[in-house]
Amino acid sequence: MLTLYSELPARRTRQVVADVVVAVWTVVWIRVGLALHDAVMALAAPGREIADAGSGLENNLRSAGERVSSVPLIGDDVRTPFDRAGDAGAALRGAGEAQVAAVEALASFLGVTVALLPIVALLLLWLPRRIRFARQATAAAALLRSGADLDLFALRALARRPLTELTHIHPDPAGAWRAGDPDVVRSLAALELAAVGMRAPGPDLSTSDGATAVYAESMAEKTTTNDSTDEPKGGRPGPADQGGAGGMATRENAPDVAESEASNDAD
């Protein structure tokens, strides 16, 4: 599912306002372009009048020529001037139509250019950021839905976020992350998620739009002993190194080491 808006209220508000501004900006400049188109098209009125006048003159002269052509003996000679005058009317009509076509082309060019330039200029600033945010937020949301470990986001925060933000979380954020400090891991993850407009799962860890780090609510401390035997994790250590050829003894080879040393004492 595509994520278009941030889960953080402040950033979501800015995104909505920016989208509205872009929409209003686009509508305003489209209307400006249409108004300019109509204003320039008003210059085509004289051309239309010239075309209409030329067309009317042509039709009247040709009609008159046809009538006088029926006069016996002189009809054809009298018609010739009317036909030539009709041709002049046709040329006048063509000039008017050419002027109208030129004004229409100019009106379309100016209207589209005036509307398109500011719209494209704003889109070049706004659209890449919105697309980048949507892609990053959608990917982060998909990872969170899949149950991805917060260590992934914490590691990205260590690699990508400014040092001033990281030091707000912990004096040694990398060392705390390597040590598995749950508060630091969650705070780093929340910092990275806030940068892409998402919240970390669990407690509310909202940030001031990624400008400063957040501190996670306390989590249960990791137990260092086994529940049933009260042994440290990983079991009890093996015997100390006795200087034998086998090196440091472990829980697996401790009996063999002991037998070997007893045999050497017997010899």
Side-chain angles (χ1 to χ4, degrees):
M1 180 178 179
L2 186 63
T3 302
L4 295 177
Y5 292 99
S6 171
E7 293 181 352
L8 306 177
R11 187 171 185 179
R12 181 170 59 247
T13 300
R14 291 197 299 271
Q15 288 176 333
V16 171
V17 171
D19 292 350
V20 171
V21 169
V22 170
V24 172
W25 178 272
T26 302
V27 171
V28 167
W29 281 104
I30 288 176
R31 293 178 66 88
V32 170
L34 291 175
L36 179 61
H37 177 273
D38 295 340
V40 175
M41 283 301 298
L43 301 177
R48 292 194 183 94
E49 293 178 357
I50 292 173
D52 293 341
S55 178
L57 180 62
E58 178 188 10
N59 293 334
N60 291 334
L61 290 174
R62 292 190 187 282
S63 177
E66 290 177 359
R67 290 178 181 177
V68 299
S69 65
S70 60
V71 177
L73 300 178
I74 62 170
D76 292 339
D77 294 335
V78 174
R79 179 179 180 177
T80 300
F82 286 96
D83 289 341
R84 291 176 180 174
D87 292 340
L92 185 63
R93 173 178 57 82
E97 291 176 348
Q99 180 179 350
V100 172
V103 171
E104 288 179 346
L106 178 62
S108 298
F109 174 77
L110 291 178
V112 171
T113 302
V114 169
L116 198 60
L117 286 179
I119 293 175
V120 170
L122 183 60
L123 289 179
L124 288 177
L125 296 175
W126 169 82
L127 192 58
R129 296 182 180 181
R130 293 294 285 126
I131 293 176
R132 182 168 59 252
F133 169 83
R135 293 179 60 184
Q136 292 177 346
T138 301
L143 287 172
L144 291 176
R145 286 195 300 268
S146 67
D149 198 321
L150 291 180
D151 276 349
L152 171 63
F153 300 102
L155 180 59
R156 285 177 61 85
L158 288 173
R160 291 159 47 93
R161 308 313 304 165
L163 295 178
T164 53
E165 296 182 8
L166 297 178
T167 53
H168 280 302
I169 294 178
H170 194 277
D172 182 14
W177 173 77
R178 286 195 299 268
D181 187 323
D183 290 345
V184 172
V185 170
R186 184 173 290 276
S187 295
L188 289 172
L191 184 64
E192 177 63 21
L193 288 169
V196 296
M198 304 299 294
R199 292 181 185 274
D204 185 8
L205 299 172
S206 59
T207 65
S208 57
D209 198 17
T212 58
V214 294
Y215 295 92
E217 295 182 5
S218 298
M219 298 176 62
E221 295 183 356
K222 293 183 177 180
T223 58
T224 57
T225 58
N226 296 331
D227 294 337
S228 59
T229 63
D230 197 30
E231 284 187 355
K233 282 192 173 180
R236 299 186 183 278
D241 185 8
Q242 301 298 325
M248 180 67 72
T250 64
R251 286 185 297 169
E252 290 79 3
N253 61 19
D256 296 337
V257 172
E259 291 178 2
S260 176
E261 290 181 351
S263 176
N264 291 334
D265 292 340
D267 293 339

